[in-house]
Amino acid sequence: MFTSKYALLVIINIPILLVGIIGAITNYKTSRISKQRCVTQVTLWLLVGIAFVFVEPVYNSLVRHHLTESAPMSIFDMMLLTGIVFCLLLVKHANERIMEINKKLARLHENQAIANARKASED
Amino acid sequence: MSMRDKHLAAKQLPQKVVIVIPAYNAGAQIASVVDSIPKIVTVHDASFATEVVVVEDGSKDDTFNEALKTRATVLRHVMNSGAGAATRTGLKYAETLGDSVAYVITIDADGQHNADDIDRLLGCAIDTKADVVIGNRLHSGNRAAMPVHRVLGNKGLTLISRMLFGIKVEDTQSGLRLYSADKLRIISTYTIDRYGFCTESLWLASRAKLHIQEVPIEVSYSDETLSHGQNNWGVVDLLLDLLWIRMVG
């Protein structure tokens, strides 16, 4: 069913998808993200994985029904797709770091305002 | 017996209501808003001392200095962070005041609210044992007082809040609200720093199955009042914030 390129696409991306899924579950278990966010992220990664598994059958079906004249996926296309998924992982990670920093900043700001007011009332 | 019931039962104990006023560029009205809040509020034979907390959110005018001249405790943000962030700072401050606080009420700094409605919110909270009481501006009695575009905008946001979050409140954007002090830990965990916090805090309350009530309140708009609040792009911002937290959590 699978030619080697399509199988390679799935095999190369499985580690990235696993990192994404495990990362989401870890963040939920360590209370960094909510359950809803965890479910959203895991669903997203699973959908990407499922899409990769069905790339060849969908392409073959489109060709059969004359819905596309695109050439089959090349090695370059495969590397590009892998790069995009990897960038998605980096973006997700960066977004989570930003959110964490945002929360810390908000807490710092609040505590500073309260501490300054307390100090001013004592003076 | 809950903490609030203990306070209500032992009327000889000092009970306090903290009034939180997030203020941004409200130098012209802040003193009159603070002065309009009574020092003691008595509802159904229960008396509450009021402590006013103004959270000055990095204003460009003299809001901070004007607030200092009043009886309010003034907290100051070093940079403008949004109405939601300022309100959260006020709620967090109220949490630090301990068991003497029975309720926390938020009120806008632009003078659109009537301080007499504080009694109404408190009365509803005591009668119904509500955890959250919203002052509803959108009732028919206010039709003349509220500009049409504000009514339509608020009703639109209320409809969107209902669709996205299932919140069954008529005025989700009202700044005049009462929170039971023992539920502040749930309410103050909202994440939106801007105006979307009004909806997010209600979502948190409904997810935690808190008892939410609404009471009709008065509203009065002046040119000064109308110059505050959200502009059209602010509304788009708000909708994007709400969509984000609904989709992603």
Side-chain angles (χ1 to χ4, degrees), chain A residues 110 114, chain B residues 18-22 53 55 75 83-98 101 103-107 177-181 183-190 197 201:
Chain A
E110 285 157 19
I114 292 170
Chain B
V18 175
I19 316 284
V20 172
I21 309 177
V53 178
V55 185
L75 310 182
T87 303
R88 192 171 50 226
T89 299
L91 296 181
K92 292 267 162 89
Y93 174 78
E95 280 182 63
T96 66
L97 296 176
V101 178
Y103 298 102
V104 178
I105 291 176
T106 61
I107 191 168
R177 298 176 172 200
L178 173 146
Y179 303 108
S180 175
K183 301 293 187 281
L184 278 184
R185 282 192 191 279
I186 297 169
I187 300 292
S188 64
T189 57
Y190 60 80
F197 85 97
S201 56

mmCIF file of all heavy atoms in Angstrom, chain A residues 110 114, chain B residues 18-22 53 55 75 83-98 101 103-107 177-181 183-190 197 201:
data_model
loop_
_atom_site.group_PDB
_atom_site.id
_atom_site.type_symbol
_atom_site.label_atom_id
_atom_site.label_comp_id
_atom_site.label_asym_id
_atom_site.label_seq_id
_atom_site.Cartn_x
_atom_site.Cartn_y
_atom_site.Cartn_z
ATOM 1 N N GLU A 110 1.026 42.456 40.131
ATOM 2 C CA GLU A 110 0.005 42.546 41.180
ATOM 3 C C GLU A 110 0.666 42.667 42.549
ATOM 4 O O GLU A 110 0.315 43.530 43.344
ATOM 5 C CB GLU A 110 -0.872 41.281 41.172
ATOM 6 C CG GLU A 110 -1.863 41.202 40.039
ATOM 7 C CD GLU A 110 -2.280 39.761 39.738
ATOM 8 O OE1 GLU A 110 -2.093 38.876 40.601
ATOM 9 O OE2 GLU A 110 -2.784 39.521 38.631
ATOM 10 N N ILE A 114 0.502 45.787 45.306
ATOM 11 C CA ILE A 114 -0.009 45.588 46.668
ATOM 12 C C ILE A 114 1.076 45.928 47.688
ATOM 13 O O ILE A 114 0.820 46.626 48.676
ATOM 14 C CB ILE A 114 -0.504 44.130 46.842
ATOM 15 C CG1 ILE A 114 -1.744 43.898 45.975
ATOM 16 C CG2 ILE A 114 -0.799 43.822 48.297
ATOM 17 C CD1 ILE A 114 -2.195 42.456 45.871
ATOM 18 N N VAL B 18 -15.283 45.147 50.453
ATOM 19 C CA VAL B 18 -14.211 45.841 49.740
ATOM 20 C C VAL B 18 -14.751 46.263 48.383
ATOM 21 O O VAL B 18 -15.311 45.449 47.643
ATOM 22 C CB VAL B 18 -12.982 44.924 49.569
ATOM 23 C CG1 VAL B 18 -11.919 45.606 48.726
ATOM 24 C CG2 VAL B 18 -12.418 44.534 50.935
ATOM 25 N N ILE B 19 -14.617 47.534 48.077
ATOM 26 C CA ILE B 19 -15.070 48.062 46.786
ATOM 27 C C ILE B 19 -13.827 48.278 45.917
ATOM 28 O O ILE B 19 -12.977 49.110 46.255
ATOM 29 C CB ILE B 19 -15.805 49.416 46.943
ATOM 30 C CG1 ILE B 19 -16.785 49.371 48.109
ATOM 31 C CG2 ILE B 19 -16.445 49.834 45.636
ATOM 32 C CD1 ILE B 19 -18.057 48.628 47.874
ATOM 33 N N VAL B 20 -13.721 47.531 44.844
ATOM 34 C CA VAL B 20 -12.541 47.625 43.965
ATOM 35 C C VAL B 20 -12.897 48.485 42.758
ATOM 36 O O VAL B 20 -13.883 48.229 42.060
ATOM 37 C CB VAL B 20 -12.103 46.216 43.498
ATOM 38 C CG1 VAL B 20 -11.015 46.317 42.440
ATOM 39 C CG2 VAL B 20 -11.615 45.390 44.685
ATOM 40 N N ILE B 21 -12.095 49.509 42.537
ATOM 41 C CA ILE B 21 -12.344 50.400 41.397
ATOM 42 C C ILE B 21 -11.105 50.398 40.494
ATOM 43 O O ILE B 21 -10.112 51.057 40.798
ATOM 44 C CB ILE B 21 -12.619 51.849 41.856
ATOM 45 C CG1 ILE B 21 -13.696 51.876 42.945
ATOM 46 C CG2 ILE B 21 -13.040 52.707 40.671
ATOM 47 C CD1 ILE B 21 -13.970 53.264 43.495
ATOM 48 N N PRO B 22 -11.135 49.643 39.380
ATOM 49 C CA PRO B 22 -10.021 49.735 38.435
ATOM 50 C C PRO B 22 -10.127 51.069 37.698
ATOM 51 O O PRO B 22 -11.203 51.430 37.225
ATOM 52 C CB PRO B 22 -10.267 48.562 37.478
ATOM 53 C CG PRO B 22 -11.707 48.211 37.636
ATOM 54 C CD PRO B 22 -12.189 48.742 38.943
ATOM 55 N N VAL B 53 -10.819 50.378 47.323
ATOM 56 C CA VAL B 53 -9.489 50.131 46.757
ATOM 57 C C VAL B 53 -9.504 50.600 45.306
ATOM 58 O O VAL B 53 -10.261 50.083 44.494
ATOM 59 C CB VAL B 53 -9.151 48.619 46.802
ATOM 60 C CG1 VAL B 53 -7.790 48.359 46.172
ATOM 61 C CG2 VAL B 53 -9.193 48.103 48.224
ATOM 62 N N VAL B 55 -7.446 50.778 41.917
ATOM 63 C CA VAL B 55 -6.267 50.212 41.242
ATOM 64 C C VAL B 55 -5.995 51.084 40.020
ATOM 65 O O VAL B 55 -6.724 51.043 39.030
ATOM 66 C CB VAL B 55 -6.502 48.748 40.816
ATOM 67 C CG1 VAL B 55 -5.212 48.171 40.230
ATOM 68 C CG2 VAL B 55 -6.971 47.914 41.996
ATOM 69 N N LEU B 75 -3.732 51.261 44.830
ATOM 70 C CA LEU B 75 -2.696 50.386 44.277
ATOM 71 C C LEU B 75 -2.339 50.932 42.898
ATOM 72 O O LEU B 75 -3.213 51.414 42.184
ATOM 73 C CB LEU B 75 -3.220 48.938 44.130
ATOM 74 C CG LEU B 75 -3.901 48.319 45.340
ATOM 75 C CD1 LEU B 75 -4.318 46.889 45.041
ATOM 76 C CD2 LEU B 75 -2.988 48.353 46.542
ATOM 77 N N ALA B 83 -8.128 46.520 31.963
ATOM 78 C CA ALA B 83 -9.146 46.528 33.020
ATOM 79 C C ALA B 83 -9.171 45.208 33.782
ATOM 80 O O ALA B 83 -9.370 45.171 35.000
ATOM 81 C CB ALA B 83 -10.525 46.816 32.411
ATOM 82 N N GLY B 84 -8.975 44.113 33.053
ATOM 83 C CA GLY B 84 -8.986 42.799 33.691
ATOM 84 C C GLY B 84 -7.832 42.635 34.664
ATOM 85 O O GLY B 84 -8.000 42.124 35.778
ATOM 86 N N ALA B 85 -6.661 43.088 34.248
ATOM 87 C CA ALA B 85 -5.480 42.982 35.117
ATOM 88 C C ALA B 85 -5.658 43.855 36.357
ATOM 89 O O ALA B 85 -5.332 43.440 37.474
ATOM 90 C CB ALA B 85 -4.230 43.390 34.349
ATOM 91 N N ALA B 86 -6.177 45.055 36.172
ATOM 92 C CA ALA B 86 -6.367 45.966 37.310
ATOM 93 C C ALA B 86 -7.399 45.399 38.291
ATOM 94 O O ALA B 86 -7.207 45.435 39.507
ATOM 95 C CB ALA B 86 -6.821 47.341 36.816
ATOM 96 N N THR B 87 -8.464 44.847 37.755
ATOM 97 C CA THR B 87 -9.494 44.248 38.624
ATOM 98 C C THR B 87 -8.909 43.060 39.378
ATOM 99 O O THR B 87 -9.155 42.889 40.586
ATOM 100 C CB THR B 87 -10.708 43.790 37.798
ATOM 101 O OG1 THR B 87 -11.223 44.898 37.073
ATOM 102 C CG2 THR B 87 -11.794 43.210 38.679
ATOM 103 N N ARG B 88 -8.114 42.265 38.685
ATOM 104 C CA ARG B 88 -7.514 41.091 39.332
ATOM 105 C C ARG B 88 -6.595 41.503 40.472
ATOM 106 O O ARG B 88 -6.553 40.870 41.524
ATOM 107 C CB ARG B 88 -6.765 40.250 38.307
ATOM 108 C CG ARG B 88 -6.346 38.866 38.807
ATOM 109 C CD ARG B 88 -5.802 38.005 37.682
ATOM 110 N NE ARG B 88 -4.794 38.726 36.933
ATOM 111 C CZ ARG B 88 -4.740 38.777 35.596
ATOM 112 N NH1 ARG B 88 -5.608 38.140 34.864
ATOM 113 N NH2 ARG B 88 -3.797 39.466 35.000
ATOM 114 N N THR B 89 -5.835 42.576 40.263
ATOM 115 C CA THR B 89 -4.969 43.083 41.341
ATOM 116 C C THR B 89 -5.811 43.477 42.549
ATOM 117 O O THR B 89 -5.477 43.169 43.700
ATOM 118 C CB THR B 89 -4.142 44.281 40.851
ATOM 119 O OG1 THR B 89 -3.318 43.869 39.771
ATOM 120 C CG2 THR B 89 -3.258 44.845 41.957
ATOM 121 N N GLY B 90 -6.924 44.159 42.296
ATOM 122 C CA GLY B 90 -7.819 44.544 43.386
ATOM 123 C C GLY B 90 -8.402 43.330 44.104
ATOM 124 O O GLY B 90 -8.478 43.295 45.339
ATOM 125 N N LEU B 91 -8.795 42.308 43.329
ATOM 126 C CA LEU B 91 -9.359 41.098 43.946
ATOM 127 C C LEU B 91 -8.293 40.376 44.779
ATOM 128 O O LEU B 91 -8.564 39.873 45.870
ATOM 129 C CB LEU B 91 -9.903 40.160 42.868
ATOM 130 C CG LEU B 91 -11.079 40.665 42.021
ATOM 131 C CD1 LEU B 91 -11.519 39.608 41.022
ATOM 132 C CD2 LEU B 91 -12.260 41.063 42.897
ATOM 133 N N LYS B 92 -7.058 40.342 44.246
ATOM 134 C CA LYS B 92 -5.967 39.682 44.984
ATOM 135 C C LYS B 92 -5.674 40.447 46.277
ATOM 136 O O LYS B 92 -5.395 39.849 47.314
ATOM 137 C CB LYS B 92 -4.690 39.627 44.131
ATOM 138 C CG LYS B 92 -4.798 38.705 42.922
ATOM 139 C CD LYS B 92 -4.302 37.323 43.210
ATOM 140 C CE LYS B 92 -4.777 36.304 42.208
ATOM 141 N NZ LYS B 92 -3.928 36.121 41.050
ATOM 142 N N TYR B 93 -5.742 41.775 46.213
ATOM 143 C CA TYR B 93 -5.543 42.576 47.427
ATOM 144 C C TYR B 93 -6.628 42.257 48.443
ATOM 145 O O TYR B 93 -6.359 42.082 49.637
ATOM 146 C CB TYR B 93 -5.546 44.068 47.090
ATOM 147 C CG TYR B 93 -5.478 44.957 48.306
ATOM 148 C CD1 TYR B 93 -4.268 45.169 48.971
ATOM 149 C CD2 TYR B 93 -6.619 45.567 48.814
ATOM 150 C CE1 TYR B 93 -4.210 45.968 50.103
ATOM 151 C CE2 TYR B 93 -6.567 46.369 49.941
ATOM 152 C CZ TYR B 93 -5.359 46.568 50.582
ATOM 153 O OH TYR B 93 -5.302 47.347 51.705
ATOM 154 N N ALA B 94 -7.872 42.177 47.981
ATOM 155 C CA ALA B 94 -8.990 41.858 48.885
ATOM 156 C C ALA B 94 -8.779 40.497 49.543
ATOM 157 O O ALA B 94 -9.107 40.304 50.720
ATOM 158 C CB ALA B 94 -10.316 41.888 48.125
ATOM 159 N N GLU B 95 -8.217 39.542 48.790
ATOM 160 C CA GLU B 95 -7.945 38.207 49.365
ATOM 161 C C GLU B 95 -6.972 38.300 50.531
ATOM 162 O O GLU B 95 -7.025 37.503 51.464
ATOM 163 C CB GLU B 95 -7.347 37.283 48.301
ATOM 164 C CG GLU B 95 -8.361 36.666 47.359
ATOM 165 C CD GLU B 95 -7.708 35.713 46.364
ATOM 166 O OE1 GLU B 95 -7.146 34.697 46.798
ATOM 167 O OE2 GLU B 95 -7.741 36.014 45.167
ATOM 168 N N THR B 96 -6.040 39.273 50.469
ATOM 169 C CA THR B 96 -5.028 39.361 51.530
ATOM 170 C C THR B 96 -5.601 39.962 52.812
ATOM 171 O O THR B 96 -4.935 39.939 53.846
ATOM 172 C CB THR B 96 -3.826 40.237 51.101
ATOM 173 O OG1 THR B 96 -4.262 41.592 50.940
ATOM 174 C CG2 THR B 96 -3.203 39.748 49.812
ATOM 175 N N LEU B 97 -6.809 40.529 52.751
ATOM 176 C CA LEU B 97 -7.366 41.197 53.927
ATOM 177 C C LEU B 97 -7.979 40.238 54.930
ATOM 178 O O LEU B 97 -8.359 40.645 56.030
ATOM 179 C CB LEU B 97 -8.412 42.241 53.490
ATOM 180 C CG LEU B 97 -7.850 43.396 52.657
ATOM 181 C CD1 LEU B 97 -8.972 44.323 52.201
ATOM 182 C CD2 LEU B 97 -6.817 44.177 53.455
ATOM 183 N N GLY B 98 -8.102 38.976 54.533
ATOM 184 C CA GLY B 98 -8.479 37.960 55.506
ATOM 185 C C GLY B 98 -9.970 37.781 55.691
ATOM 186 O O GLY B 98 -10.784 38.201 54.872
ATOM 187 N N VAL B 101 -13.417 40.216 55.470
ATOM 188 C CA VAL B 101 -14.096 40.628 54.234
ATOM 189 C C VAL B 101 -15.196 39.624 53.915
ATOM 190 O O VAL B 101 -14.940 38.431 53.780
ATOM 191 C CB VAL B 101 -13.101 40.711 53.058
ATOM 192 C CG1 VAL B 101 -13.823 41.094 51.779
ATOM 193 C CG2 VAL B 101 -11.989 41.693 53.378
ATOM 194 N N TYR B 103 -17.720 40.438 51.363
ATOM 195 C CA TYR B 103 -17.995 40.568 49.930
ATOM 196 C C TYR B 103 -16.996 41.529 49.294
ATOM 197 O O TYR B 103 -16.440 42.398 49.963
ATOM 198 C CB TYR B 103 -19.410 41.121 49.682
ATOM 199 C CG TYR B 103 -20.516 40.247 50.209
ATOM 200 C CD1 TYR B 103 -21.167 40.563 51.401
ATOM 201 C CD2 TYR B 103 -20.913 39.101 49.523
ATOM 202 C CE1 TYR B 103 -22.166 39.758 51.898
ATOM 203 C CE2 TYR B 103 -21.925 38.298 50.017
ATOM 204 C CZ TYR B 103 -22.548 38.626 51.203
ATOM 205 O OH TYR B 103 -23.546 37.824 51.695
ATOM 206 N N VAL B 104 -16.823 41.342 47.995
ATOM 207 C CA VAL B 104 -16.013 42.274 47.211
ATOM 208 C C VAL B 104 -16.896 42.756 46.062
ATOM 209 O O VAL B 104 -17.526 41.947 45.376
ATOM 210 C CB VAL B 104 -14.744 41.597 46.648
ATOM 211 C CG1 VAL B 104 -13.957 42.570 45.792
ATOM 212 C CG2 VAL B 104 -13.882 41.071 47.788
ATOM 213 N N ILE B 105 -16.920 44.069 45.895
ATOM 214 C CA ILE B 105 -17.741 44.643 44.817
ATOM 215 C C ILE B 105 -16.812 45.413 43.891
ATOM 216 O O ILE B 105 -15.925 46.148 44.344
ATOM 217 C CB ILE B 105 -18.811 45.594 45.407
ATOM 218 C CG1 ILE B 105 -19.840 44.761 46.189
ATOM 219 C CG2 ILE B 105 -19.509 46.385 44.311
ATOM 220 C CD1 ILE B 105 -20.892 45.586 46.911
ATOM 221 N N THR B 106 -16.995 45.207 42.594
ATOM 222 C CA THR B 106 -16.238 45.999 41.625
ATOM 223 C C THR B 106 -17.168 47.052 41.034
ATOM 224 O O THR B 106 -18.356 46.800 40.829
ATOM 225 C CB THR B 106 -15.669 45.132 40.491
ATOM 226 O OG1 THR B 106 -16.761 44.512 39.793
ATOM 227 C CG2 THR B 106 -14.742 44.056 41.029
ATOM 228 N N ILE B 107 -16.615 48.219 40.790
ATOM 229 C CA ILE B 107 -17.409 49.319 40.244
ATOM 230 C C ILE B 107 -16.533 50.105 39.278
ATOM 231 O O ILE B 107 -15.316 50.198 39.471
ATOM 232 C CB ILE B 107 -17.954 50.209 41.397
ATOM 233 C CG1 ILE B 107 -18.991 51.202 40.890
ATOM 234 C CG2 ILE B 107 -16.847 50.914 42.141
ATOM 235 C CD1 ILE B 107 -19.761 51.893 42.015
ATOM 236 N N ARG B 177 -20.311 44.529 39.991
ATOM 237 C CA ARG B 177 -20.525 43.133 40.362
ATOM 238 C C ARG B 177 -20.163 42.913 41.813
ATOM 239 O O ARG B 177 -19.321 43.621 42.355
ATOM 240 C CB ARG B 177 -19.610 42.222 39.537
ATOM 241 C CG ARG B 177 -19.839 42.255 38.083
ATOM 242 C CD ARG B 177 -18.822 41.412 37.397
ATOM 243 N NE ARG B 177 -19.181 41.296 35.986
ATOM 244 C CZ ARG B 177 -18.751 40.360 35.191
ATOM 245 N NH1 ARG B 177 -17.926 39.442 35.635
ATOM 246 N NH2 ARG B 177 -19.120 40.316 33.929
ATOM 247 N N LEU B 178 -20.775 41.900 42.371
ATOM 248 C CA LEU B 178 -20.451 41.511 43.738
ATOM 249 C C LEU B 178 -19.953 40.079 43.717
ATOM 250 O O LEU B 178 -20.505 39.238 42.993
ATOM 251 C CB LEU B 178 -21.695 41.624 44.620
ATOM 252 C CG LEU B 178 -21.589 41.106 46.058
ATOM 253 C CD1 LEU B 178 -22.460 41.961 46.982
ATOM 254 C CD2 LEU B 178 -21.967 39.667 46.200
ATOM 255 N N TYR B 179 -18.906 39.832 44.491
ATOM 256 C CA TYR B 179 -18.396 38.468 44.635
ATOM 257 C C TYR B 179 -18.353 38.129 46.117
ATOM 258 O O TYR B 179 -17.934 38.954 46.937
ATOM 259 C CB TYR B 179 -16.982 38.333 44.062
ATOM 260 C CG TYR B 179 -16.840 38.722 42.615
ATOM 261 C CD1 TYR B 179 -16.185 39.896 42.248
ATOM 262 C CD2 TYR B 179 -17.358 37.922 41.605
ATOM 263 C CE1 TYR B 179 -16.051 40.258 40.923
ATOM 264 C CE2 TYR B 179 -17.226 38.282 40.275
ATOM 265 C CZ TYR B 179 -16.569 39.453 39.938
ATOM 266 O OH TYR B 179 -16.443 39.810 38.625
ATOM 267 N N SER B 180 -18.753 36.936 46.441
ATOM 268 C CA SER B 180 -18.584 36.475 47.807
ATOM 269 C C SER B 180 -17.096 36.260 48.067
ATOM 270 O O SER B 180 -16.391 35.683 47.241
ATOM 271 C CB SER B 180 -19.350 35.157 47.982
ATOM 272 O OG SER B 180 -19.127 34.633 49.253
ATOM 273 N N ALA B 181 -16.610 36.744 49.201
ATOM 274 C CA ALA B 181 -15.161 36.719 49.467
ATOM 275 C C ALA B 181 -14.588 35.301 49.458
ATOM 276 O O ALA B 181 -13.440 35.099 49.049
ATOM 277 C CB ALA B 181 -14.863 37.400 50.808
ATOM 278 N N LYS B 183 -15.257 32.983 47.526
ATOM 279 C CA LYS B 183 -15.175 32.438 46.162
ATOM 280 C C LYS B 183 -14.158 33.205 45.309
ATOM 281 O O LYS B 183 -14.011 32.940 44.117
ATOM 282 C CB LYS B 183 -16.554 32.491 45.470
ATOM 283 C CG LYS B 183 -17.633 31.722 46.195
ATOM 284 C CD LYS B 183 -17.337 30.229 46.164
ATOM 285 C CE LYS B 183 -18.466 29.383 46.718
ATOM 286 N NZ LYS B 183 -18.550 29.315 48.159
ATOM 287 N N LEU B 184 -13.446 34.136 45.928
ATOM 288 C CA LEU B 184 -12.506 34.945 45.155
ATOM 289 C C LEU B 184 -11.408 34.105 44.515
ATOM 290 O O LEU B 184 -10.935 34.417 43.430
ATOM 291 C CB LEU B 184 -11.863 36.009 46.049
ATOM 292 C CG LEU B 184 -12.664 37.280 46.282
ATOM 293 C CD1 LEU B 184 -11.835 38.265 47.095
ATOM 294 C CD2 LEU B 184 -13.085 37.929 44.977
ATOM 295 N N ARG B 185 -11.016 33.051 45.220
ATOM 296 C CA ARG B 185 -9.925 32.211 44.675
ATOM 297 C C ARG B 185 -10.286 31.613 43.318
ATOM 298 O O ARG B 185 -9.428 31.349 42.499
ATOM 299 C CB ARG B 185 -9.610 31.068 45.639
ATOM 300 C CG ARG B 185 -8.777 31.497 46.802
ATOM 301 C CD ARG B 185 -8.236 30.313 47.590
ATOM 302 N NE ARG B 185 -7.657 30.792 48.830
ATOM 303 C CZ ARG B 185 -6.439 31.312 48.943
ATOM 304 N NH1 ARG B 185 -5.656 31.389 47.905
ATOM 305 N NH2 ARG B 185 -5.996 31.740 50.098
ATOM 306 N N ILE B 186 -11.593 31.367 43.128
ATOM 307 C CA ILE B 186 -12.043 30.815 41.846
ATOM 308 C C ILE B 186 -12.124 31.940 40.813
ATOM 309 O O ILE B 186 -11.632 31.826 39.693
ATOM 310 C CB ILE B 186 -13.432 30.151 42.000
ATOM 311 C CG1 ILE B 186 -13.342 28.967 42.967
ATOM 312 C CG2 ILE B 186 -13.963 29.691 40.651
ATOM 313 C CD1 ILE B 186 -14.685 28.419 43.399
ATOM 314 N N ILE B 187 -12.728 33.043 41.207
ATOM 315 C CA ILE B 187 -12.996 34.137 40.262
ATOM 316 C C ILE B 187 -11.705 34.781 39.785
ATOM 317 O O ILE B 187 -11.552 35.124 38.620
ATOM 318 C CB ILE B 187 -13.881 35.214 40.944
ATOM 319 C CG1 ILE B 187 -15.207 34.627 41.395
ATOM 320 C CG2 ILE B 187 -14.088 36.403 40.025
ATOM 321 C CD1 ILE B 187 -16.119 34.215 40.276
ATOM 322 N N SER B 188 -10.741 34.967 40.683
ATOM 323 C CA SER B 188 -9.559 35.774 40.338
ATOM 324 C C SER B 188 -8.522 35.022 39.515
ATOM 325 O O SER B 188 -7.442 35.529 39.276
ATOM 326 C CB SER B 188 -8.907 36.324 41.616
ATOM 327 O OG SER B 188 -8.417 35.255 42.406
ATOM 328 N N THR B 189 -8.849 33.805 39.055
ATOM 329 C CA THR B 189 -7.883 33.048 38.248
ATOM 330 C C THR B 189 -8.068 33.280 36.749
ATOM 331 O O THR B 189 -7.455 32.605 35.943
ATOM 332 C CB THR B 189 -7.991 31.537 38.528
ATOM 333 O OG1 THR B 189 -9.338 31.114 38.261
ATOM 334 C CG2 THR B 189 -7.617 31.200 39.953
ATOM 335 N N TYR B 190 -8.922 34.249 36.389
ATOM 336 C CA TYR B 190 -9.096 34.480 34.952
ATOM 337 C C TYR B 190 -7.792 34.986 34.356
ATOM 338 O O TYR B 190 -6.945 35.528 35.060
ATOM 339 C CB TYR B 190 -10.255 35.446 34.675
ATOM 340 C CG TYR B 190 -10.110 36.829 35.278
ATOM 341 C CD1 TYR B 190 -9.320 37.805 34.676
ATOM 342 C CD2 TYR B 190 -10.786 37.164 36.444
ATOM 343 C CE1 TYR B 190 -9.200 39.060 35.225
ATOM 344 C CE2 TYR B 190 -10.671 38.422 37.002
ATOM 345 C CZ TYR B 190 -9.883 39.369 36.388
ATOM 346 O OH TYR B 190 -9.757 40.623 36.933
ATOM 347 N N PHE B 197 -12.217 39.849 30.342
ATOM 348 C CA PHE B 197 -12.237 39.213 31.671
ATOM 349 C C PHE B 197 -13.662 39.154 32.234
ATOM 350 O O PHE B 197 -13.968 38.285 33.053
ATOM 351 C CB PHE B 197 -11.320 39.965 32.646
ATOM 352 C CG PHE B 197 -11.955 41.156 33.325
ATOM 353 C CD1 PHE B 197 -12.500 41.041 34.592
ATOM 354 C CD2 PHE B 197 -12.020 42.380 32.681
ATOM 355 C CE1 PHE B 197 -13.093 42.142 35.213
ATOM 356 C CE2 PHE B 197 -12.610 43.470 33.292
ATOM 357 C CZ PHE B 197 -13.149 43.356 34.570
ATOM 358 N N SER B 201 -14.516 35.603 33.668
ATOM 359 C CA SER B 201 -14.758 35.392 35.098
ATOM 360 C C SER B 201 -16.126 34.742 35.321
ATOM 361 O O SER B 201 -16.290 33.889 36.196
ATOM 362 C CB SER B 201 -14.652 36.705 35.883
ATOM 363 O OG SER B 201 -15.523 37.678 35.359
#
